[in-house]
Amino acid sequence: MKIMNLYELALLLRAKLKMAKWPFNRYGFPVFPREVILEEPPTLIEPIQRIRCCKKPNENLLSSFSDDLFIKRRLQRIFEEINLYGLFKGFGGFDLSPRIRWPFQQQKFNIWLSQLATAFVALSGQKIIPNFRIGNLQTLFALESYPKNIPYVIGTLGCSKKMRPLYEFI
């Protein structure tokens, strides 16, 4: 089932999580219980583009640090591809951009959808390392979804004024 509208996808993911009794916080964001967190470090971080061709997925963290268009395509196929996430040691959380200059509601929606989809991956049995992606200071509340003192990933490639090698950010 391919989903075209990301808002419909968010509502569907939310409904599936609610049916599974997944906890939500006062802002309507999914809460990630400590038991779904991958606490041991992976050997490598693989980009989500390699979801079908990684040589040793059971040793690697799958990360969605990628262009938003590519992330949206993965999100639209999440129900078809959910079993592929389980092949990896863990998943680094979806990373849709909440750009600082965007309206607050658009930032909040991208963070909400990213967290909903990441929670859905965790619901399928995959361990996650949360993606602590926020927009401006108004979206800082989104970090309340996670337990304290856990490993996390953050995409920073868009923060550079010039192109830098990927290894400087891993």
Side-chain angles (χ1 to χ4, degrees), residues 39-167:
E39 304 245 10
E40 61 186 63
T43 303
L44 290 172
I45 297 175
E46 287 284 352
I48 200 165
Q49 294 92 319
R50 295 183 45 81
I51 193 169
R52 296 181 187 277
C53 61
C54 178
K55 297 231 188 292
K56 294 183 180 178
N58 60 331
E59 296 177 11
N60 300 328
L61 181 77
L62 183 65
S63 168
S64 77
F65 297 150
S66 184
D67 179 81
D68 280 355
L69 290 175
F70 190 84
I71 296 170
K72 287 175 184 176
R73 284 197 300 264
R74 292 278 70 85
L75 286 169
Q76 290 170 329
R77 293 180 177 92
I78 193 166
F79 299 113
E80 299 162 18
E81 297 178 344
I82 193 66
N83 292 335
L84 296 174
Y85 292 87
L87 299 175
F88 287 81
K89 182 172 190 165
F91 178 61
F94 284 98
D95 189 42
L96 277 177
S97 298
R99 304 210 189 280
I100 290 173
R101 66 185 176 279
W102 287 355
F104 169 70
Q105 289 301 330
Q106 188 175 4
Q107 291 181 48
K108 184 179 170 186
F109 176 77
N110 277 10
I111 297 166
W112 184 58
L113 176 55
S114 292
Q115 286 190 11
L116 288 170
T118 301
F120 181 71
V121 171
L123 183 64
S124 77
Q126 179 55 280
K127 293 283 188 176
I128 62 155
I129 296 182
N131 185 329
F132 277 14
R133 184 72 183 261
I134 60 165
N136 59 23
L137 290 177
Q138 286 182 297
T139 61
L140 201 56
F141 70 89
L143 298 179
E144 289 183 25
S145 295
Y146 306 107
K148 294 181 185 211
N149 301 316
I150 59 169
Y152 59 89
V153 293
I154 299 175
T156 59
L157 288 177
C159 298
S160 177
K161 297 262 189 253
K162 62 181 184 171
M163 189 62 162
R164 295 183 185 255
L166 183 59
Y167 66 84

